[in-house]
């Protein structure tokens, strides 16, 4: 079963790699972006160059009206929504708890938690057998920080990913008989621009020696895991959170 794959935050890093992977597998990819339209269009072009179908949509995932409008627009595509990858997320920078501003905390929860909940809700309303859907898969992109805690850097970010893990486990049970599987991937240290944009371009090189496998992961390795979870080969897998972390 292919159909539409909605990848939130699909303009860079793990989201871009996932969108490209799914496009090559035959999904019609709709990827969202918050600010960087050019980067999103480059991902679309790469998918099309590989023979796939894709389009990019601007989305503030913290805005319920925008989320609702996006899912309504998906109805104009002559294919069903069969896969949601809840990837959009922000860290709001590195900060110890004692220095954390309320605005940082509010924004990271609005995007990482509220946005993911709203997208999952709308996906269930379209995929579920009880809603006339054909079933489908939801993959929540979490983080190993949810278990490790993010101490000294981003406890606030880690807490949002812990909430996302709870959503994964709870929703998986709630919709299992409605034809929807819900799983998560929990990346560890991945070599993306996330670290530099948060002010620590050296973070990957500094942390890599402490990973049991001795290196940072690649966005494509996370994308491969997402693709497997979405495949028929994982047809009896739901409620799982798969670490993609090199053993950390």
């Amino acid at each position: 079963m292919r159909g539409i794959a909605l990848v939130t935050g699909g303009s860079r890093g793990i989201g871009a790699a996932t969108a490209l992977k799914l496009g090559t597998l035959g999904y019609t990819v709709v990827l969202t972006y918050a600010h960087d339209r050019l980067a999103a269009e480059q991902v679309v072009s790469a998918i099309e160059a590989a023979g796939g179908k894709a389009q990019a949509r601007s989305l503030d995932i913290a805005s319920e009206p925008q989320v609702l409008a996006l899912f309504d627009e998906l109805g104009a595509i002559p294919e069903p929504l069969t896969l949601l990858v809840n990837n959009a997320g922000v860290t709001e920078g590195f900060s110890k708890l004692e220095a954390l501003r309320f605005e940082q905390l509010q924004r990271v929860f609005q995007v990482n938690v509220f946005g993911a909940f709203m997208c999952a809700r709308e996906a269930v309303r379209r995929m579920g057998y009880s809603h006339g859907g054909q079933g489908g898969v939801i993959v929540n992109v979490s983080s190993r920080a949810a278990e490790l805690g993010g101490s000294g850097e981003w406890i606030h970010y880690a807490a949002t990913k812990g909430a996302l893990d709870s959503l994964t486990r709870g929703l998986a049970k709630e919709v299992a008989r409605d034809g929807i599987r819900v799983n998560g991937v929990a990346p560890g240290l991945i070599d993306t621009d996330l670290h530099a944009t948060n002010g620590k371009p050296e973070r990957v090189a500094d942390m890599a020696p402490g990973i049991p496998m001795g290196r940072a992961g690649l966005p494509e390795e996370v994308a491969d895991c997402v693709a497997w979870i979405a495949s028929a080969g994982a047809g009896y897998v739901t409620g799982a959170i798969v670490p993609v972390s090199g053993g950390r």
Side-chain angles (χ1 to χ4, degrees):
M1 181 170 63
R2 290 296 183 257
I4 299 169
L6 174 60
V7 181
T8 66
S11 64
R12 61 191 181 91
I14 291 171
T18 299
L20 181 56
K21 178 70 176 183
L22 296 174
T24 63
L25 292 175
Y27 287 94
T28 295
V29 177
V30 177
L31 61 100
T32 74
Y33 65 94
H35 306 293
D36 197 340
R37 178 180 176 180
L38 178 59
E41 290 177 344
Q42 288 173 340
V43 177
V44 169
S45 295
I47 293 170
E48 291 176 341
K53 296 183 291 183
Q55 52 187 271
R57 303 289 178 89
S58 173
L59 175 68
D60 177 2
I61 200 170
S63 165
E64 183 180 26
Q66 289 194 33
V67 170
L68 294 177
L70 171 65
F71 276 85
D72 285 344
E73 290 170 8
L74 295 182
I77 301 175
E79 295 174 83
L81 175 68
T82 57
L83 173 60
L84 165 66
V85 181
N86 261 326
N87 172 72
V90 296
T91 66
E92 290 301 296
F94 295 106
S95 175
K96 288 186 176 181
L97 183 61
E98 64 191 40
L100 187 68
R101 292 179 289 105
F102 174 75
E103 291 77 15
Q104 290 174 279
L105 185 64
Q106 184 178 47
R107 181 63 180 168
V108 77
F109 269 87
Q110 285 175 332
V111 172
N112 299 5
V113 181
F114 298 167
F117 264 76
M118 289 188 292
C119 287
R121 181 191 67 192
E122 296 307 308
V124 168
R125 289 174 175 176
R126 288 156 178 80
M127 294 177 180
Y129 295 157
S130 62
H131 295 278
Q134 300 179 23
V137 180
I138 296 173
V139 182
N140 295 320
V141 180
S142 181
S143 169
R144 286 293 294 142
E147 289 193 23
L148 298 173
S151 299
E153 292 186 327
W154 47 29
I155 293 175
H156 53 292
Y157 171 77
T160 66
K161 294 304 186 178
L164 200 59
D165 288 352
S166 293
L167 168 64
T168 298
R169 295 185 178 103
L171 185 60
K173 296 174 183 177
E174 191 169 291
V175 298
R177 298 196 181 189
D178 215 13
I180 303 172
R181 295 189 295 108
V182 186
N183 292 287
V185 294
L189 182 69
I190 305 297
D191 192 359
T192 70
D193 64 359
L194 172 71
H195 315 280
T197 56
N198 281 279
K200 290 188 177 182
E202 73 287 353
R203 188 169 183 265
V204 171
D206 289 348
M207 293 183 65
I211 306 298
M213 289 184 69
R215 66 173 178 88
L218 300 174
E220 292 77 12
E221 292 175 306
V222 182
D224 286 343
C225 187
V226 172
W228 173 76
I229 289 172
S231 74
Y236 199 53
V237 179
T238 196
I241 300 167
V242 183
V244 186
S245 61
R248 181 168 180 261

